[in-house]
Amino acid sequence: MAAEEATHRPPTTHRPPATSRPDVSVVVPVYNTLRYLRSCLDSVLRQTIGPDRMEIVAVDDGSTDGSGRLLDRYAAKHPGTVRVVHQANSGGPAAPCNRGLDLATGRYVFFLGSDDRLGPEALERLVAAADRYGSDVVLGKVVGVNGRHVFSDVFADGNAVDVSLFDSALPWSLANTKLFRRDLVDRLGLRFPEDMPVLSDQPFTLAACYHARRISVLADHDYYHAVRRLDARNITYHSRIEQRLVSVERLFAYVADLIPAGARRDAVLRRHVGLELANLVGDDFRHLDRAAQERVHATVARLVRRHVTDSLRDRLDIEARLRLGAVTAGGVDDLLAVIEQDSGRGVPATVFAGDRWHAGYPGAPARWTDVTDVRADWLARLDTVDVSWADGHTLTVTTRSPYPRFATEAGPVRMLAGPVVGATRMDAGDPTGRTLRTDFALDRLLAAGSASGQRHPVRAEVDGGHGRGGAAVRAPRLAAGRPRLLRHGARLYGVAATVDPRNGQLVLSVVPVTVAQLVGRLRRRGAARAQVSGRGPEGRLGRHGHLEVRGAAQVQPGPLRRANQPHHHSGAGRAAPDQARGVRVDV
């Protein structure tokens, strides 16, 4: 075929005859994921659906780390099941996805990231559901691995045979990691836009969901394990700002062309405005050079004015609403002043003008700081002032509101770390009633993280005289300590409080580690010390689940402190500052 003739190397196997059409084709775009690729491919080959009912189409997008050679070995070992195509690097996932789609022959197609993996019964369950319900799109439950965050609200209500794109959490789960009926793809001529360096899976998924006769959600099994790559080189993580600007503009144009203006378009754009657009002016904005800041500001302002209706604005989270309002009301310096307030000083005071409430950002125009209609959300904005280990089983988060009547007007306060609800109480040491202490039980955080680990963003919810509201809990000036190692069942985990660099939100992270990984890491850190002393570090797992290492620094922190508060490491004999923004456990 022409598509195969254009490759640098011939495909390892040939297209099977039409009479042996598989039920599902798994398309795997591959670029430099050797560390994860074997696990990915094995997870497909072990599927209970069996090799006779599936095929793997792997497209090597110019890998340079040996991923292509590994694919060829798998194809040689599994002829008729694994098919491999090699091509020059295209710069993004769209082209290899399209190439795989061109070559796939199954009744259904499923896209799998080459650093991710499937649950053992995933394909059998997904295909059975699609056949039983006549579904054109089936989304199976996605779980994060190594602390990768996934939007899981769409799975909260369990299995659902018929899910609407417009009145559910589905727009927050628009990755292409779903089962698609091939007849739908062919009828619509769906392909991934190769002029979008990032976010290219969203137009494909959105069009499929928009035109699908039925979309089903399965939440009864861990279908898809989305892996956080510890080398952090996914194009999504480190794409250049120009690529992101181009892709976001094209994404908004695509939505506008696909869905007529009105409530249904707003239901989808709420995700794109509140996530992709708001992230462009997140805390990381201040680290761009001035020229890039000007381009980002101009792009975001244009898209807000063109696409954000009043009803859509009113449905945004308060963080996104205030940031995007700052963009449309002022210039780059005005936006930077808002970011500096949020990230450096914390929630500003409330300014009253008659019966109107305003967010007290310095010099900000009143037309966008008005929070009167979202006062409950505004009251839920709290700053983290301390995170500490209350004991070996509890992580305590201390937060504070700048609002003087917080205790009487906010009403009951609930603090959540992901799905885990903490035990919240007023701090008896603060007579103003503006300080809260919340205990999170570590066993619940560990259980919620499951075997794969999880990031738990911290959020506050209030329910008082101004209604119900909620907001992310930010952590300005907080420097987090190193992770504490704890055992849960047979597994060892690193538990840490970190700060999301995009939006400044406090996150409680649970990441699985192994003794071998930790000992190896600590041995490397202690190599210089060992060379001086002539003894290498020795490690063992202590009776309480803590890792004990001789000859290397202990990974066993005291309380997590404010950035301006020294941290005395036990046995060190001197004060040392905590590492800013926490410590990631590399496993």
Side-chain angles (χ1 to χ4, degrees):
M1 296 182 302
E4 293 185 347
E5 291 171 358
T7 61
H8 295 292
R9 286 179 276 181
T12 306
T13 60
H14 300 287
R15 180 188 294 274
T19 55
S20 61
R21 185 182 189 186
D23 283 332
V24 57
S25 300
V26 181
V27 174
V28 186
V30 179
Y31 177 69
N32 285 356
T33 54
L34 183 62
R35 179 176 179 179
Y36 305 91
L37 185 55
R38 190 181 300 275
S39 176
C40 170
L41 297 173
D42 287 346
S43 77
V44 185
L45 290 168
R46 293 169 183 161
Q47 288 293 299
T48 56
I49 198 171
D52 294 338
R53 297 178 58 194
M54 71 172 185
E55 67 175 353
I56 302 173
V57 181
V59 180
D60 171 27
D61 195 42
S63 296
T64 58
D65 68 342
S67 293
R69 292 189 295 274
L70 180 62
L71 289 174
D72 288 338
R73 291 197 294 271
Y74 269 81
K77 187 176 180 180
H78 303 278
T81 300
V82 179
R83 307 177 58 224
V84 176
V85 176
H86 303 275
Q87 64 182 28
N89 180 251
S90 65
C97 283
N98 286 337
R99 187 66 182 284
L101 189 57
D102 290 341
L103 300 176
T105 64
R107 294 191 299 122
Y108 298 98
V109 61
F110 190 95
F111 296 93
L112 174 63
S114 60
D115 43 7
D116 300 332
R117 57 181 184 265
L118 295 177
E121 302 175 12
L123 296 180
E124 184 176 19
R125 288 170 176 251
L126 290 167
V127 169
D131 286 341
R132 183 182 308 117
Y133 305 132
S135 307
D136 285 332
V137 179
V138 184
L139 167 60
K141 182 180 178 182
V142 182
V143 295
V145 179
N146 292 339
R148 180 168 171 179
H149 175 68
V150 297
F151 290 100
S152 57
D153 287 357
V154 72
F155 308 114
D157 295 328
N159 290 358
V161 173
D162 204 342
V163 174
S164 169
L165 176 64
F166 306 110
D167 59 6
S168 73
L170 185 60
W172 295 87
S173 299
L174 287 181
N176 64 339
T177 52
K178 300 170 177 63
L179 187 79
F180 298 94
R181 187 179 294 273
R182 183 58 189 257
D183 288 348
L184 173 74
V185 173
D186 290 344
R187 175 167 58 85
L188 299 175
L190 292 183
R191 289 298 184 271
F192 296 80
E194 297 183 22
D195 59 353
M196 290 179 61
V198 295
L199 306 174
S200 60
D201 57 340
Q202 294 195 28
F204 180 97
T205 306
L206 184 60
C209 291
Y210 181 72
H211 291 288
R213 294 171 299 172
R214 172 168 288 168
I215 306 165
S216 298
V217 170
L218 303 180
D220 57 346
H221 180 70
D222 289 350
Y223 289 82
Y224 194 100
H225 299 261
V227 178
R228 176 174 176 258
R229 289 176 58 178
L230 297 176
D231 55 11
R233 292 179 182 173
N234 309 56
I235 189 169
T236 304
Y237 297 162
H238 286 281
S239 58
R240 293 189 297 272
I241 192 64
E242 293 297 337
Q243 292 181 328
R244 187 158 294 277
L245 289 177
V246 167
S247 297
V248 168
E249 286 216 75
R250 288 174 178 163
L251 177 60
F252 273 76
Y254 187 88
V255 175
D257 288 342
L258 179 69
I259 307 173
R264 300 208 304 171
R265 181 194 289 179
D266 284 355
V268 172
L269 283 181
R270 180 185 177 192
R271 173 250 162 83
H272 298 306
V273 174
L275 189 62
E276 281 87 12
L277 205 58
N279 278 348
L280 286 172
V281 290
D283 288 8
D284 279 350
F285 177 84
R286 57 191 165 152
H287 301 307
L288 300 174
D289 62 57
R290 185 68 182 202
Q293 289 175 342
E294 296 283 359
R295 289 193 295 274
V296 170
H297 186 279
T299 299
V300 173
R302 181 171 59 253
L303 292 175
V304 170
R305 294 188 180 105
R306 184 177 299 168
H307 297 287
V308 179
T309 63
D310 290 345
S311 60
L312 173 55
R313 179 200 61 213
D314 292 344
R315 298 181 63 196
L316 294 175
D317 287 344
I318 194 165
E319 298 277 350
R321 177 173 173 159
L322 289 172
R323 285 288 174 93
L324 296 175
V327 172
T328 58
V332 169
D333 290 332
D334 300 297
L335 175 60
L336 288 171
V338 171
I339 295 175
E340 177 57 32
Q341 173 71 48
D342 285 342
S343 61
R345 294 186 292 275
V347 179
T350 304
V351 177
F352 302 96
D355 61 350
R356 309 301 295 180
W357 288 26
H358 293 268
Y361 290 103
R367 63 182 179 274
W368 69 264
T369 61
D370 192 317
V371 294
T372 307
D373 296 334
V374 287
R375 283 176 290 190
D377 291 335
W378 177 248
L379 287 175
R381 293 193 75 198
L382 303 172
D383 288 326
T384 306
V385 295
D386 191 54
V387 182
S388 61
W389 298 96
D391 52 41
H393 308 283
T394 306
L395 191 61
T396 300
V397 176
T398 303
T399 54
R400 184 172 297 144
S401 169
Y403 186 64
R405 298 191 297 273
F406 178 81
T408 58
E409 296 189 22
V413 181
R414 193 168 76 140
M415 300 280 288
L416 303 95
V420 179
V421 180
T424 301
R425 63 195 182 279
M426 291 290 180
D427 188 338
D430 180 3
T432 68
R434 295 184 294 118
T435 304
L436 302 171
R437 292 174 64 84
T438 302
D439 293 334
F440 290 101
L442 290 180
D443 58 348
R444 296 189 62 191
L445 288 173
L446 291 166
S450 71
S452 60
Q454 190 58 274
R455 296 173 69 250
H456 302 297
V458 180
R459 181 176 177 82
E461 296 180 351
V462 302
D463 187 5
H466 299 294
R468 294 183 178 180
V473 173
R474 295 179 60 89
R477 305 184 308 280
L478 184 73
R482 292 172 180 170
R484 174 165 289 191
L485 303 179
L486 298 170
R487 190 202 303 261
H488 181 68
R491 299 294 302 271
L492 188 66
Y493 294 84
V495 181
T498 62
V499 179
D500 189 323
R502 298 169 303 171
N503 56 25
Q505 186 173 9
L506 180 69
V507 177
L508 304 185
S509 296
V510 176
V511 179
V513 295
T514 67
V515 174
Q517 289 164 342
L518 263 295
V519 169
R521 182 178 177 87
L522 293 173
R523 281 179 173 168
R524 289 192 296 271
R525 286 182 175 178
R529 185 179 301 174
Q531 289 175 359
V532 173
S533 65
R535 293 185 60 183
E538 302 172 0
R540 68 184 182 89
L541 189 62
R543 59 191 295 262
H544 297 296
H546 301 314
L547 185 67
E548 300 174 0
V549 180
R550 299 174 182 175
Q554 295 288 321
V555 185
Q556 197 52 242
L560 306 177
R561 309 282 184 171
R562 291 181 293 274
N564 59 357
Q565 183 176 359
H567 179 193
H568 296 271
H569 291 271
S570 177
R574 61 183 177 89
D578 286 319
Q579 180 171 341
R581 301 204 182 280
V583 177
R584 187 186 71 204
V585 179
D586 292 321
V587 296

